[in-house]
Amino acid sequence: GENVEQHPSTLSVQEGDSAVIKCTYSDSASNYFPWYKQELGKRPQLIIDIRSNVGEKKDQRIAVTLNKTAKHFSLHITETQPEDSAVYFCAASHQAGTALIFGKGTTLSVSS
Amino acid sequence: SAVISQKPSRDICQRGTSLTIQCQVDSQVTMMFWYRQQPGQSLTLIATANQGSEATYESGFVIDKFPISRPNLTFSTLTVSNMSPEDSSIYLCSVDQGPQGNEQYFGPGTRLTVT
């Protein structure tokens, strides 16, 4: 089955810096890669996703890149702000109606 | 996205008892999923619930311990049976939405503590 590895497990940056979180997946049939942000005590929130027919997707300060050949995808956050502090999870699935397999999460701390 | 609610939001239970968690969605959805999130950990899939058929369980999770019902397209329940302290966790339901069907949105979760 699918296995998703996520690095780093913790990331500390200064406000205004960029943050990059990387994930690798094992199942070449996977074609959907979402990223979730989870604040303390709250549910995971979908913040951006990418499908296998696209190499990059941007939404304001957040971008995701996908390298299908290498089976890895990354989340990029620019101009970080303290409110970006949270746990970020990557995930993968290989068709609509199938469950997501999650990475172990990255705790991002943005200090002002 | 769909509005998803769960009941109860939290509970403290005695070992050996059972708790049923409800998940309600404000629109009809084909697939519902149940996840467990242990303290400080990632999300682990328990089972997939498709209306009108038996739930599909992941390795390490069995129907006798986590029976699931899916009576219609807007509702599902997960029961945690014969609880032990190791079952203390957050239990979340999610639904599959979006134009291509992959996008998953989560309920607020049920925080379970077993004493």
Side-chain angles (χ1 to χ4, degrees), chain A residues 31-32 36 38 41-46 49 51 89 93-105, chain B residues 4 31 33 35 37 40-45 48 58 92 96 100-109 111:
Chain A
N31 59 14
Y32 176 66
Y36 287 83
Q38 188 175 32
K42 299 197 173 177
R43 75 187 82 184
Q45 295 269 4
L46 177 64
D49 57 13
R51 298 178 194 276
F89 293 100
S93 74
H94 59 76
Q95 63 184 57
T98 62
L100 297 171
I101 304 301
F102 284 85
K104 292 191 183 300
Chain B
I4 308 166
M31 308 300 292
F33 306 92
Y35 290 85
Q37 187 174 30
Q41 304 291 316
S42 185
L43 293 90
T44 301
L45 179 68
T48 301
E58 295 300 300
L92 300 112
D96 214 26
Q100 298 182 55
N102 284 104
E103 297 168 27
Q104 284 195 26
Y105 297 93
F106 284 85
R111 183 180 295 272

Side-chain angles (χ1 to χ4, degrees), chain A residues 12-79:
Chain A
S12 295
V13 300
Q14 290 284 109
E15 183 177 2
D17 288 349
S18 295
V20 180
I21 303 170
K22 298 181 178 181
C23 289
T24 60
Y25 60 99
S26 61
D27 188 349
S28 57
S30 290
N31 59 14
Y32 176 66
F33 308 94
W35 287 88
Y36 287 83
K37 175 183 181 182
Q38 188 175 32
E39 296 174 336
L40 192 62
K42 299 197 173 177
R43 75 187 82 184
Q45 295 269 4
L46 177 64
I47 56 172
I48 195 168
D49 57 13
I50 191 166
R51 298 178 194 276
S52 60
N53 58 346
V54 174
E56 183 176 0
K57 184 177 179 180
K58 281 186 179 180
D59 183 2
Q60 299 182 357
R61 295 186 297 109
I62 294 173
V64 58
T65 58
L66 171 65
N67 183 327
K68 285 172 55 181
T69 303
K71 289 191 279 188
H72 66 72
F73 57 111
S74 301
L75 178 70
H76 304 252
I77 306 174
T78 59
E79 300 172 29

Side-chain angles (χ1 to χ4, degrees), chain B residues 29-32 49-54 70-75:
Chain B
V29 293
T30 304
M31 308 300 292
M32 295 179 81
N50 191 3
Q51 194 267 337
S53 62
E54 294 285 332
R70 183 78 202 274
N72 57 52
L73 291 172
T74 63
F75 187 78

